[in-house]
Amino acid sequence: MTTTPQRLALVLGAAALLAAAPARAGKAHQHGLARLDIAVDASRVSIVLDTPLDNLLGFERAPRTDAERQQADAAVALLRDGGRLFRIDPAAGCTLAKVELASAALKLGDAAAAPAPEGHADLEARFDFDCKQGGRAASVEVGLFEAFKRLQRLDLQLATPRGQMKAVLQRPASRVALVR
Ligand SMILES: [Zn+2]
């Protein structure tokens, strides 16, 4: 896992608030499950997806056949289309600014130079949206279950101007409320 300053800050902030949640301290890798962190401020919504590669591809290594390469390309294309994967409440006036993907197994992003992992492998995706009034975002429609059939559950960590909270999104639900 990459420890970008933003991610570290979010994790540390969460740890401070949720001291009784040791599950997030470790690197959970459970097929069917992924982590989604959503951070909202006035001018930006940032979403970080941390998922076993199995949830996206059904395998966890570099593709070996044309069919697997096509599968990997299709998954990457779906992730790069972040504006369709995450539909933020239009009241916030958000537009997708940047998508960053990192996976050692798929040779993507920051992790591209890392040695391909043996056994299990993950992918991290970061989606940055520029927003006119981020604080007005009351919800996000998440299209991950639609896009990736193997994914069953998302453990959510939300950081908004109103505070932090945890939530779980279970297939087939798609709506994440950002306000209680
Ligand atoms: Zn795995």
Side-chain angles (χ1 to χ4, degrees):
M1 148 174 165
T2 56
T3 49
T4 58
Q6 300 94 320
R7 180 169 188 96
L8 198 58
L10 187 63
V11 169
L12 289 176
L17 187 81
L18 301 159
R24 286 190 70 83
K27 171 77 175 163
H29 178 109
Q30 185 184 333
H31 295 183
L33 171 68
R35 283 172 32 181
L36 195 68
D37 294 341
I38 303 178
V40 178
D41 68 29
S43 61
R44 171 176 280 198
V45 172
S46 293
I47 301 177
V48 176
L49 169 70
D50 190 354
T51 177
L53 210 50
D54 184 80
N55 291 340
L56 311 179
L57 300 179
F59 56 89
E60 298 197 313
R61 48 170 172 71
R64 290 175 186 156
T65 64
D66 284 346
E68 286 184 354
R69 268 184 285 277
Q70 281 174 17
Q71 237 180 307
D73 288 349
V76 166
L78 283 168
L79 290 168
R80 291 209 186 281
D81 197 3
R84 281 186 70 181
L85 273 186
F86 303 103
R87 289 186 293 278
I88 299 167
D89 184 344
C94 300
T95 52
L96 182 67
K98 193 168 62 170
V99 177
E100 288 177 330
L101 306 179
S103 166
L106 297 186
K107 299 290 167 211
L108 288 170
D110 287 349
E118 297 191 17
H120 294 287
D122 299 273
L123 180 144
E124 183 173 299
R126 183 189 173 95
F127 307 86
D128 286 324
F129 294 82
D130 289 334
C131 304
K132 294 194 177 93
Q133 291 177 283
R136 293 185 61 186
S139 66
V140 181
E141 285 289 334
V142 176
L144 287 168
F145 293 138
E146 207 176 314
F148 300 108
K149 303 299 180 199
R150 303 173 72 85
L151 186 61
Q152 299 299 323
R153 194 181 102 195
L154 290 166
D155 280 354
L156 298 159
Q157 183 77 55
L158 311 175
T160 78
R162 296 176 187 84
Q164 302 197 28
M165 51 189 153
K166 288 176 69 172
V168 170
L169 200 64
Q170 190 93 36
R171 177 182 290 275
S174 63
R175 188 180 190 82
V176 175
L178 298 174
V179 288
R180 256 189 253 259

